Amino acid sequence: MTNQIINDLTIQAATVNGSGSQTANLILTRAIFHMGIPVAPKNVFPSNIEGLPTWYQLRVTTQGHMARRDQVDILIAFNPATWHQDLRTVRPGGVVVHEEVFSTAEARTDVTYYPVPFSKLAKSKIQNDTLRKQLANMIYVGVVAGLLGIPWEALEHAVTRQFLSKPKAVPLNLDAIKVGFDYWQDNFSKKDPYRLEPMTGVVDQKVLVEGNQAAALGALMGGVTVAAWYPITPSSSLCENLIAYAERFRTDPETGEKRIAVVQAEDELAAVGMAIGAGWAGARAMTSTSGPGISLMAEFAGLGYYAEVPVVIFDIQRIGPSTGLPTRTSQADVGFAYTLSHGDTKHLVLLPGTVEECYEFARDAFDYADRFQTPVFVLSDLDLGMNLWMTPEFKYPDKPFDRGKVLSKADLERLAGEWARYRDVDGDGVPYRTLPGTDHPAAGYFTRGSGHDEHARYTESAESYAANMDRLSRKFETARTALPAPVIDESAGSKIGLIAFGSTHAAVLESRSALAAAKLPVDYLRIRALPLSAQVVEFVSRHERVYVIEQNRDGQVYDLIRLALPPALVDRLRSIRHYDGQPIPADAITEPLLESEAIPV
Amino acid sequence: MSATINRIGLPRDAYKGAATTLCAGCGHNSITNHMIKALYELGVEPHRLAKMSGIGCSSKTPAYFVESAHGFNGVHGRMPALTTGAQLANRQLIMLGVSGDGDTASIGLGQFMHMIRRNIDCTYIIEDNGTYGLTKGQFSATADLGSVQKKGAVNTFQPIDPCAVALTLGCTFVARSFSGDGKQVVPLIKAAIAHRGTAVLDIISPCVTFNDHDGSTKSYSWIKDHEESIADVSFIPFFEEVHVDYEPGTVRDVELHDGSHILLKKLGEDHDPTDRRAAMRVIEEGRSAGHLVTGLLYLDPASVDFATTERIPESPLVDLSEDELRLTKDEFAQFMSEFA
């Protein structure tokens, strides 16, 4: 066969949700990953329990690109309802593996078809009546394995890994995969150019992790002891993973006692309230939510800011406004979360761009919250949070917790009880606090969301109010330089720069390669926290044009950067926005950029 | 017990707070004094006390007692959430929440109900005056049907009875009292603190400025005329011996989790405070008869609080060290390898 395409393809499985297809897709993903080939899966699923269309896009590249790509090379058509629509998405020259009974009356002639009688095979070859529907999905795993040359050993590994806790399911699933594998061998000869070949070196020491798993592990390593949450897509799996990990690592095997409290609250108001109550009492406390929950948390976020209570708030962003599209991704909560609540409120926001950073920022967020005695938002998104990402193994923390400025009984004795809760002793705007339960007569103070003086006493004094607000601003400035600095790559030496944050990172990396190939190498700054580092302005000043890329309609971070720039630099800034709910592909950056720079595509 | 210091060696003044800024004659000030007396007599260690509140006149009161204790005046109607979090973080804290009828029965009704449902170990006092005082006299959700506002408006809505709501949700300690009845309020507060679980105390506390006129069913005079106590309450803390002379059959003795005793001396019809259906009946009959029934309505001495159910250790979670919270290096490496 000529013009083989090896290890560079995108498989799209079009199935019905609630049918067990996700397990089949994961097994396919793990099998290919086990061959040493980089994988980037994206799950496009409906806000529904069972019966609606769902797509799983598995991208395979030798370079390890992790962004979504619009182009489908191999379609697995399993869903009659979307068959015609799915067929249109396949690139010319692509492959269509489809249920034999689907009508090919309007079929395209520029693709290769492999019709498989999935239903018949399931009925005749799968003996297990109760699991037939689920196992039927495994048949397409077998067919694709035959089609692309996935070795049986890789399938065995993937199935064993998938059913770590249910070893009985392993032979059942392998048998079903074998049905498809055999059907391929017995009925087809290869007519298309796509093949997978084992690779070495590229995925060594790498693992597949979802951002919400990473964040849950990070929270655990960050020492979270109280977590309160209300179920909401796409954040639920963060706390569900936390519960599962805590069951394993935070439960005394003898007494059954837990070194963590996780509460499913009655709503997001209560969830963040519980976390703030716990943070006030000295726990490392968190909540996790998505857009509508963030809206409800506005009231307590202001209390946390003004009363200066540490708490970590995860926002796994989805598309809004309002209910929006609960199962589609977005970066449109950034502007809102940054100033969440009425009055002059502003927050520290961490913006992880990889699953490794989901782990690290989740862990370190508790340090920042304690150190700056304020809510810390960790803004992930559905793409990062709910998809599997290839990542280097996470690093074990190399430093102890930073509990911030907490006065113990001994400290109070040394100070002879002379202290004030909201006094700026060190000039950094960060005051000292005591924890309830500290056995010293001077320890207690009255925390309030109403106006207060240095001693936390109620006051309506204009001077006290303004002085306190100014101190809070000082504290914010201290935090600005302490939060994760931008990651800057100016190796291109270009007059053009890109700025991005969060999950957009993957598409930017790929786009930079494409731009370099198109003779437009670009520099790159990735923002990792708000408030913005001074390095952002400096980066803009070093470039003639800077494109801010983000996944929201209004260019929220573009606006924040404009506000930070001196007037002379504002015109240098451009905005590229992607907001259709699907993770941003590299083309959505490359194409507008080439057009804007008037470079022929 | 010494006349000047309590069992932990503190004088009564140690339980005082800042001067009140509420109106002279406000029922809430009486309740503050009852709390000071109860906390002093119980010998509560101030550093273990956490005074929690929401927003409103009532929610200001934690500033007026035990100044050296930690307090948290949070946001309107959300005190239960703050209390829940703080309690889980440190089970050694004695959570004492003070709320009002607006805070509890309107904006905070959801959190009030879910706190009860979980049985968070706390005392929840409602300083209930049927009116929004700070915003100048609007009806609250506990105002009785037909009660008249100061400017003449008549309440056309059914009241929410916090005690009935609490009972319906399986609250493990439900009592009602009157701010002017210190003889009843003080032992009830002590019992509520000794109780392990959510203890709801609905204390009718007249608003002298906006709701103390003729036609109001939360005025001093109305309550004095209509209060009907179901039993005389006395509280014997765990550190004192029970020795009371009484006629057999006239006094019920309920022992609490910590070894304290509540003694209930029959006044009229016998009420068994451990009978939830009887408590509902007493409330309903009082309501039909136009009485304000006060006293200990219901108590479950076998109550198991939320943190216990959730297997949270008695020692504070906040004291756990890195070694107790982080995975070990081996566990971490093993865990990472499972993602491969």
Side-chain angles (χ1 to χ4, degrees):
Chain A
M1 181 156 306
T2 54
N3 294 330
Q4 287 203 350
I5 300 173
I6 299 165
N7 296 354
D8 187 8
L9 52 92
T10 298
I11 302 167
Q12 178 137 306
T15 56
V16 175
N17 86 314
S19 69
S21 58
Q22 181 64 356
T23 309
N25 295 330
L26 287 172
I27 285 169
L28 197 54
T29 305
R30 292 190 190 285
I32 297 172
F33 185 63
H34 186 67
M35 294 169 71
I37 306 170
V39 290
K42 303 283 180 204
N43 191 13
V44 181
F45 59 103
S47 179
N48 178 264
I49 294 172
E50 186 182 289
L52 286 185
T54 179
W55 294 269
Y56 187 81
Q57 194 185 69
L58 178 58
R59 189 173 177 201
V60 173
T61 56
T62 51
Q63 303 95 324
H65 292 316
M66 309 253 273
R68 185 177 69 91
R69 187 169 59 170
D70 270 332
Q71 171 183 293
V72 175
D73 297 291
I74 295 167
L75 171 70
I76 303 164
F78 219 66
N79 183 359
T82 59
W83 159 237
H84 294 290
Q85 172 195 338
D86 291 331
L87 190 52
R88 283 195 290 276
T89 63
V90 184
R91 71 178 294 192
V95 169
V96 178
V97 175
H98 66 95
E99 164 59 54
E100 194 179 56
V101 300
F102 289 179
S103 158
T104 49
E106 299 162 41
R108 291 167 52 179
T109 55
D110 59 348
V111 293
T112 305
Y113 294 96
Y114 297 110
V116 181
F118 287 112
S119 305
K120 278 190 200 158
L121 287 173
K123 275 190 199 120
S124 62
K125 306 274 187 183
I126 293 175
Q127 311 308 326
N128 190 318
D129 288 340
T130 48
L131 293 177
R132 182 171 292 116
K133 193 170 118 187
Q134 277 82 4
L135 290 168
N137 291 288
M138 295 301 153
I139 300 177
Y140 74 65
V141 175
V143 172
V144 173
L147 168 74
L148 294 176
I150 300 172
W152 187 252
E153 179 271 334
L155 294 165
E156 278 181 335
H157 167 87
V159 173
T160 309
R161 168 63 190 77
Q162 185 64 33
F163 296 106
L164 267 186
S165 55
K166 282 186 278 182
K168 273 188 190 164
V170 172
L172 277 176
N173 281 274
L174 279 173
D175 287 350
I177 292 173
K178 188 76 166 43
V179 171
F181 201 71
D182 289 348
Y183 189 85
W184 168 267
Q185 305 291 354
D186 297 345
N187 294 278
F188 297 119
S189 60
K190 185 91 172 155
K191 293 180 287 182
D192 66 88
Y194 296 103
R195 275 187 54 205
L196 295 174
E197 283 184 359
M199 288 170 64
T200 50
V202 183
V203 308
D204 292 357
Q205 304 302 313
K206 290 200 171 151
V207 290
L208 290 175
V209 186
E210 293 169 12
N212 285 351
Q213 295 176 320
L217 179 60
L220 213 59
M221 295 303 283
V224 64
T225 47
V226 177
W229 66 298
Y230 184 77
I232 183 169
T233 306
S235 82
S236 299
S237 62
L238 202 166
C239 276
E240 285 168 340
N241 282 313
L242 182 68
I243 291 166
Y245 302 167
E247 196 65 46
R248 179 165 164 192
F249 297 110
R250 288 280 192 85
T251 308
D252 189 310
E254 279 158 29
T255 64
E257 282 195 331
K258 293 181 176 148
R259 299 190 298 280
I260 187 171
V262 186
V263 189
Q264 184 183 319
E266 56 269 33
D267 54 33
E268 289 90 345
L269 299 171
V272 71
M274 290 173 193
I276 286 179
W280 171 76
R284 299 209 128 183
M286 62 168 270
T287 183
S288 173
T289 190
S290 301
I294 283 291
S295 289
L296 287 180
M297 291 180 185
E299 179 188 45
F300 260 125
L303 177 72
Y305 173 77
Y306 195 43
E308 301 182 59
V309 181
V311 64
V312 175
I313 301 172
F314 290 92
D315 177 6
I316 315 304
Q317 297 168 92
R318 68 190 217 188
I319 276 258
S322 190
T323 306
L325 296 173
T327 60
R328 297 291 186 269
T329 196
S330 155
Q331 294 183 316
D333 292 351
V334 182
F336 183 57
Y338 185 39
T339 59
L340 190 69
S341 209
H342 56 274
D344 278 325
T345 301
K346 48 189 180 179
H347 300 293
L348 308 185
V349 180
L350 303 181
L351 299 165
T354 63
V355 287
E356 193 172 21
E357 284 183 349
C358 287
Y359 160 73
E360 288 174 357
F361 288 8
R363 180 192 69 201
D364 297 345
F366 294 91
D367 282 351
Y368 295 125
D370 269 351
R371 189 166 156 198
F372 297 108
Q373 300 174 24
T374 196
V376 172
F377 288 77
V378 185
L379 260 62
S380 171
D381 61 32
L382 182 143
D383 184 22
L384 205 46
M386 290 190 73
N387 284 317
L388 278 174
W389 295 72
M390 208 173 59
T391 175
E393 287 193 9
F394 305 153
K395 292 178 198 75
Y396 195 81
D398 55 6
K399 50 180 198 249
F401 296 155
D402 178 355
R403 295 305 317 258
K405 299 181 186 179
V406 178
L407 296 175
S408 65
K409 179 184 182 182
D411 294 329
L412 291 169
E413 281 167 355
R414 182 172 47 79
L415 294 165
E418 280 301 314
W419 78 289
R421 169 68 182 98
Y422 296 113
R423 184 179 291 159
D424 187 4
V425 178
D426 304 320
D428 57 3
V430 186
Y432 287 79
R433 65 174 181 144
T434 57
L435 304 183
T438 305
D439 186 6
H440 189 283
Y445 66 94
F446 199 67
T447 307
R448 53 175 93 239
S450 48
H452 43 269
D453 64 12
E454 279 191 346
H455 290 275
R457 293 175 301 221
Y458 181 72
T459 178
E460 295 176 3
S461 145
E463 293 78 15
S464 293
Y465 174 79
N468 188 43
M469 290 303 281
D470 289 343
R471 181 186 54 76
L472 282 165
S473 270
R474 264 197 317 280
K475 181 169 92 167
F476 204 66
E477 289 311 307
T478 305
R480 187 190 296 275
T481 55
L483 298 178
V487 178
I488 301 172
D489 178 0
E490 291 179 315
S491 60
S494 176
K495 60 185 181 182
I496 310 296
L498 304 185
I499 293 179
F501 61 93
S503 66
T504 308
H505 181 51
V508 172
L509 289 183
E510 186 179 346
S511 175
R512 286 184 78 207
S513 304
L515 289 166
K519 302 277 184 278
L520 183 69
V522 291
D523 292 335
Y524 177 31
L525 178 146
R526 183 162 63 86
I527 295 168
R528 300 199 298 166
L530 297 177
L532 290 171
S533 158
Q535 293 182 47
V536 175
V537 173
E538 291 160 14
F539 180 81
V540 175
S541 74
R542 290 195 296 269
H543 294 85
E544 287 179 21
R545 286 178 296 287
V546 173
Y547 293 82
V548 182
I549 303 139
E550 55 196 306
Q551 300 181 62
N552 58 63
R553 185 194 63 186
D554 293 339
Q556 297 177 7
V557 167
Y558 164 77
D559 275 348
L560 288 177
I561 298 172
R562 274 168 60 98
L563 287 172
L565 290 177
L569 294 182
V570 168
D571 283 350
R572 298 185 181 192
L573 221 53
R574 308 279 189 280
S575 174
I576 294 177
R577 302 143 190 207
H578 174 86
Y579 50 91
D580 66 2
Q582 298 292 354
I584 184 171
D587 287 350
I589 303 168
T590 311
E591 286 168 13
L593 222 139
L594 289 174
E595 192 184 332
S596 172
E597 293 294 321
I599 297 199
V601 180
Chain B
M1 192 187 293
S2 154
T4 50
I5 57 166
N6 64 9
R7 71 181 178 103
I8 61 163
L10 290 177
R12 194 176 181 283
D13 280 0
Y15 293 84
K16 287 186 172 170
T20 177
T21 58
L22 302 174
C23 307
C26 176
H28 300 0
N29 287 333
S30 308
I31 298 172
T32 296
N33 289 330
H34 302 326
M35 281 194 275
I36 290 169
K37 185 172 163 64
L39 293 164
Y40 166 72
E41 288 178 0
L42 276 179
V44 166
E45 296 164 281
H47 75 274
R48 284 185 58 203
L49 185 65
K51 306 171 293 179
M52 311 299 285
S53 67
I55 294 291
C57 293
S58 59
S59 295
K60 292 180 169 193
T61 59
Y64 311 143
F65 61 91
V66 200
E67 188 156 26
S68 65
H70 270 81
F72 198 158
N73 180 203
V75 285
H76 202 10
R78 321 277 180 239
M79 179 259 277
L82 292 171
T83 301
T84 300
Q87 217 274 324
L88 291 170
N90 184 348
R91 286 191 72 182
Q92 292 302 311
L93 295 177
I94 296 161
M95 308 304 301
L96 175 55
V98 184
S99 180
D101 37 303
D103 207 55
T104 294
S106 285
I107 194 167
L109 187 58
Q111 295 211 344
F112 174 67
M113 292 170 79
H114 284 277
M115 167 194 70
I116 290 169
R117 186 178 151 253
R118 293 191 183 96
N119 201 22
I120 302 299
D121 187 13
C122 69
T123 297
Y124 189 102
I125 291 172
I126 306 160
E127 299 186 338
D128 186 352
N129 56 21
T131 192
Y132 285 86
L134 265 184
T135 52
K136 308 216 182 295
Q138 299 84 1
F139 281 126
S140 85
T142 64
D144 288 310
L145 182 66
S147 189
V148 179
Q149 218 175 44
K150 198 175 182 184
K151 287 179 183 166
V154 177
N155 183 32
T156 55
F157 304 115
Q158 291 290 344
I160 291 174
D161 179 341
C163 290
V165 169
L167 280 171
T168 304
L169 294 165
C171 188
T172 51
F173 184 114
V174 183
R176 178 143 42 218
S177 194
F178 164 49
S179 61
D181 188 354
K183 217 168 133 271
Q184 190 185 57
V185 173
V186 172
L188 284 176
I189 291 174
K190 290 178 181 174
I193 290 171
H195 176 68
R196 192 159 184 170
T198 301
V200 168
L201 251 94
D202 180 36
I203 306 179
I204 310 303
S205 173
C207 173
V208 285
T209 305
F210 293 108
N211 205 10
D212 197 29
H213 46 269
D214 287 350
S216 161
T217 58
K218 298 273 194 287
S219 69
Y220 280 110
S221 60
W222 193 93
I223 295 160
K224 276 176 188 149
D225 292 347
H226 296 83
E227 183 185 3
E228 194 173 277
S229 172
I230 45 176
D232 270 348
V233 191
S234 35
F235 178 82
I236 316 295
F238 67 89
F239 50 85
E240 283 175 20
E241 283 194 26
V242 185
H243 49 80
V244 185
D245 298 326
Y246 49 77
E247 294 283 313
T250 60
V251 169
R252 286 182 180 274
D253 179 348
V254 187
E255 186 173 353
L256 294 179
H257 178 269
D258 70 347
S260 304
H261 289 256
I262 301 172
L263 301 180
L264 299 157
K265 186 159 178 276
K266 246 192 294 192
L267 289 176
E269 197 184 328
D270 189 24
H271 173 62
D272 176 1
T274 63
D275 181 344
R276 193 154 74 100
R277 282 197 296 184
M280 285 299 259
R281 188 168 41 76
V282 163
I283 289 177
E284 211 33 65
E285 285 174 0
R287 189 159 117 132
S288 304
H291 292 151
L292 176 72
V293 175
T294 64
L296 180 63
L297 295 164
Y298 178 67
L299 169 69
D300 173 7
S303 162
V304 180
D305 74 301
F306 182 69
T308 303
T309 306
E310 293 292 301
R311 311 305 308 271
I312 309 302
E314 293 277 358
S315 57
L317 288 178
V318 299
D319 290 344
L320 292 171
S321 68
E322 266 144 29
D323 291 347
E324 293 161 299
L325 295 176
R326 281 180 175 162
L327 281 66
T328 64
K329 279 190 175 166
D330 286 347
E331 284 173 335
F332 190 81
Q334 168 64 30
F335 196 54
M336 279 317 303
S337 75
E338 291 171 19
F339 286 107

